[in-house]
């Protein structure tokens, strides 16, 4: 739920509705990432990180405080994933991404990475930065489509506006909803 002043809606030179939709979409995405990776015990969702730890722990790179990620750890994560997995990718935390950038700079690839002239890859697999990973998990590698399922309603996110809900404040109220199943 987001309330916006009607004066802002009238005077804004940008689309406030698009800004509200983007803000709600980002909030939903962060909530989904957090639940997907860390779990939501109240909803009975174990979370992918715990599932990996219960399996063998080999496809994620973890660290203790003060330790840095190494290329050997990344290589071990690659080797621990079933070789028949087809759509492999990396999901890294912001701290993990900083270690990867440092390794790239030390290896002489700074121009390519810093200027983003090529897609970010590690050992040929694409990389996504995820802000929902805990501080101790630097990277996860694997075929996520084979590891789990995530269902989103075909309507995706819905956004509804009401000019009457907060009429006493002279505001328009937007309510966003999204249904997800794990």
């Amino acid at each position: 739920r987001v309330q916006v002043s009607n004066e802002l809606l009238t005077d804004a030179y940008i689309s406030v509705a698009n800004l509200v939709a983007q803000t709600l979409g980002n909030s939903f995405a962060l909530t989904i990432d957090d639940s997907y990776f860390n779990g939501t015990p109240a909803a009975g969702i174990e979370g992918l990180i715990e599932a990996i730890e219960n399996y063998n722990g080999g496809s994620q790179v973890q660290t203790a405080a003060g330790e840095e990620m190494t290329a050997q750890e990344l290589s071990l994560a690659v080797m621990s994933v079933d070789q028949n997995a087809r759509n492999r990718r990396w999901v890294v935390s912001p701290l993990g991404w900083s270690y990867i950038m440092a390794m790239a700079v030390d290896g002489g690839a700074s121009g390519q990475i810093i200027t983003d002239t090529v897609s970010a890859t590690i050992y040929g697999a694409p990389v996504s930065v995820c802000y929902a990973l805990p501080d101790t998990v630097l990277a996860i590698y694997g075929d996520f489509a084979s590891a789990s399922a995530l269902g989103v309603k075909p309507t995706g996110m819905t956004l509804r506006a009401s000019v009457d809900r907060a009429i006493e404040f002279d505001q328009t109220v937007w309510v966003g909803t999204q249904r997800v199943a794990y």
Side-chain angles (χ1 to χ4, degrees):
R1 176 187 165 129
V2 176
Q3 288 183 209
V4 178
S5 163
N6 287 330
E7 286 86 8
L8 176 63
L9 292 173
T10 303
D11 298 338
Y13 61 90
I14 61 169
S15 172
V16 176
N18 285 343
L19 184 60
V20 168
Q22 182 180 11
T23 301
L24 289 172
N26 288 341
S27 177
F28 285 135
L30 185 58
T31 301
I32 290 168
D33 285 351
D34 184 52
S35 184
Y36 181 77
F37 289 109
N38 300 312
T40 305
I45 301 170
E46 180 180 11
L48 192 59
I49 292 171
E50 188 175 332
I52 292 171
E53 290 171 354
N54 291 340
Y55 174 65
N56 68 3
S59 59
Q60 67 183 356
V61 179
Q62 292 185 312
T63 186
E67 287 184 13
E68 291 189 15
M69 183 185 327
T70 66
Q72 291 79 12
E73 290 172 319
L74 295 173
S75 178
L76 178 61
V78 170
M79 297 309 298
S80 68
V81 172
D82 187 327
Q83 297 305 306
N84 291 320
R86 297 289 174 230
N87 298 312
R88 301 173 187 202
R89 72 177 305 109
W90 290 93
V91 176
V92 299
S93 68
L95 181 59
W97 182 244
S98 70
Y99 290 142
I100 291 166
M101 292 288 286
M103 283 188 267
V105 170
D106 290 344
S110 60
Q112 291 178 340
I113 298 239
I114 292 172
T115 61
D116 198 29
T117 58
V118 295
S119 306
T121 62
I122 302 171
Y123 298 128
V127 180
S128 297
V129 177
C130 178
Y131 294 94
L133 293 179
D135 293 338
T136 57
V137 176
L138 299 177
I140 300 175
Y141 176 74
D143 182 349
F144 295 96
S146 296
S148 58
L150 175 69
V152 179
K153 287 293 227 178
T155 56
M157 181 181 80
T158 59
L159 186 63
R160 297 178 315 256
S162 171
V163 294
D164 299 326
R165 178 75 176 134
I167 194 168
E168 67 274 17
F169 301 112
D170 194 26
Q171 295 178 338
T172 298
V173 176
W174 273 283
V175 175
T177 56
Q178 184 172 26
R179 293 185 57 201
V180 179
Y182 295 93

